[in-house]
Amino acid sequence: TWQQQVKLLVSPYHLYYQTGSILELGVFASLRQQNLAKYISYNSALQPFYDNLASILPPSPNKPVILGLHLLFLLSEGQLTSFHQTLETLTVNDLSDVFIKLAVDLERWLMEGQYNRVYRARDRVPRPEYSYLLDRLVSQVRCVTKNCIFPGPAHGRNQIASTMESSYPSIPVSDAAEVLFLGKNDTTTLHKIVEEVCDKLEFKTLLTLSEDG
């Protein structure tokens, strides 16, 4: 409220509040610039303002956004232990917030193997800053590198590829690209992915794909 703002301005803690607000802007700007190093730096500097000064500063309206972005960052980095530890500190109301719920939904879809829902989530980001981290997550799900951040039989692009191999004797290139979260016409990236995993998987399906199905 405006009364709280006036009280804050005349208190000795107004500089803390202003500093926290500047760091929040830094978080948003770094993600819009797709600068991950700056994001990590701003986000790390901001956390003490939320954790240690909560008793003397009014809650920031941007905190749910920052928390949601932080959760999405942890998810995109495969830091699942830290992701769940952070969730344990949140209230039921926090978890229902639209900015936080997206990250929670994404983690559940990954665990359930609903990769298409992860891909389609790019159409429902609540703020532009989420797009960069979500694109990183989708790239990790594809496992463009050979080591999947979601190891095991239920996760990662390797699992998708294995499922394709067991499900289809052959499959059109455009369909395979879409299943692997690529654009239907992005055959160049598809063939690059095949080259990267062929030495790790018996990926015969993709090696015998037909352009016309």
Side-chain angles (χ1 to χ4, degrees):
T1 65
W2 68 268
Q3 292 96 335
Q4 289 177 314
Q5 294 296 324
V6 170
K7 183 178 180 180
L8 179 65
L9 287 173
V10 299
S11 77
Y13 302 114
H14 70 280
L15 290 180
Y16 291 139
Y17 188 83
Q18 292 177 348
T19 301
S21 298
I22 292 171
L23 291 173
E24 289 175 339
L25 293 176
V27 165
F28 299 147
S30 60
L31 289 176
R32 292 193 179 202
Q33 295 167 3
Q34 300 188 6
N35 190 321
L36 191 65
K38 283 187 176 180
Y39 164 73
I40 293 172
S41 178
Y42 280 118
N43 189 58
S44 297
L46 180 59
Q47 294 311 309
F49 287 82
Y50 293 154
D51 299 336
N52 302 331
L53 300 177
S55 62
I56 60 175
L57 295 179
S60 168
N62 289 322
K63 184 176 180 179
V65 185
I66 297 293
L67 281 173
L69 291 169
H70 179 60
L71 287 168
L72 185 52
F73 165 74
L74 294 175
L75 202 56
S76 70
E77 293 291 307
Q79 298 181 29
L80 300 184
T81 299
S82 297
F83 178 89
H84 288 287
Q85 287 175 341
T86 303
L87 286 185
E88 291 173 0
T89 67
L90 304 181
T91 66
V92 174
N93 287 337
D94 290 334
L95 294 173
S96 63
D97 187 282
V98 64
F99 296 108
I100 295 172
K101 190 176 184 298
L102 176 60
V104 176
D105 287 342
L106 287 167
E107 192 267 346
R108 186 180 74 255
W109 295 334
L110 287 168
M111 295 299 106
E112 295 174 352
Q114 298 188 59
Y115 304 110
N116 284 338
R117 299 192 72 173
V118 175
Y119 181 77
R120 291 196 298 268
R122 293 186 294 185
D123 297 329
R124 54 168 279 203
V125 290
R127 282 182 58 125
E129 293 85 4
Y130 281 71
S131 296
Y132 172 57
L133 294 176
L134 186 51
D135 284 343
R136 282 177 53 82
L137 177 61
V138 170
S139 294
Q140 293 287 18
V141 172
R142 289 187 201 137
C143 292
V144 175
T145 60
K146 292 182 181 179
N147 297 316
C148 182
I149 64 169
F150 295 98
H155 303 105
R157 198 271 317 278
N158 291 355
Q159 171 65 17
I160 301 174
S162 298
T163 300
M164 286 171 59
E165 185 177 23
S166 62
S167 301
Y168 306 100
S170 65
I171 183 173
V173 168
S174 59
D175 291 350
E178 188 170 22
V179 169
L180 290 170
F181 307 125
L182 303 172
K184 275 198 170 186
N185 298 320
D186 193 359
T187 56
T188 300
T189 304
L190 173 63
H191 289 302
K192 179 181 178 182
I193 290 174
V194 171
E195 290 176 3
E196 289 175 349
V197 300
C198 276
D199 62 346
K200 189 172 182 180
L201 294 176
E202 294 181 0
F203 215 174
K204 298 177 183 177
T205 298
L206 286 183
L207 294 179
T208 58
L209 289 177
S210 156
E211 291 289 350
D212 58 8

